[in-house]
Amino acid sequence: IMAAKRRKSTSLFATAVILIILFAVGFELLQMHEKLAAAQGEQAIISQRLSRQRQENRTLEAALERADDPEFLQQLAREQLGMVSPGEKDFYDVSH
């Protein structure tokens, strides 16, 4: 009878230890899953930033290729600096 009680208490103890270990492993897996989801979200944001930066780089490279083009330079001067050619008049709409 004593051996049966000892075996039964050992079995309960082993079951309890296994359950605790399984709970701990499950908890860790849940935390890892949350971290993975957060990392994937960050990756998506960084991928979007990279895509926008690459597009901006292509735009700047195209502008550099046209840097010696007098028409392009004149267009830049008009748009970004508000310059006009001699004899031209620039009108501004102030009604807005």
Side-chain angles (χ1 to χ4, degrees):
I1 295 179
M2 190 70 135
K5 281 186 177 182
R6 184 175 283 176
R7 196 175 315 136
K8 192 173 189 179
S9 69
T10 303
S11 176
L12 286 175
F13 179 72
T15 302
V17 168
I18 289 172
L19 286 175
I20 291 171
I21 290 172
L22 286 174
F23 177 76
V25 168
F27 184 74
E28 286 297 319
L29 284 174
L30 184 62
Q31 285 185 330
M32 291 282 244
H33 180 70
E34 290 173 357
K35 287 179 182 179
L36 178 62
Q40 287 172 335
E42 287 180 34
Q43 181 185 20
I45 291 170
I46 290 171
S47 291
Q48 289 173 350
R49 287 180 186 166
L50 178 61
S51 178
R52 285 193 303 265
Q53 189 63 51
R54 285 183 173 158
Q55 178 58 42
E56 184 179 343
N57 285 352
R58 285 191 292 271
T59 302
L60 291 172
E61 286 172 355
L64 278 176
E65 289 174 2
R66 296 174 48 194
D68 292 333
D69 181 6
E71 289 180 23
F72 176 71
L73 295 176
Q74 186 177 30
Q75 178 186 355
L76 281 179
R78 288 177 188 272
E79 292 174 0
Q80 294 185 6
L81 302 175
M83 299 180 80
V84 294
S85 294
E88 288 184 334
K89 293 185 181 178
D90 198 12
F91 295 95
Y92 295 97
D93 185 6
V94 293
S95 64
H96 293 237

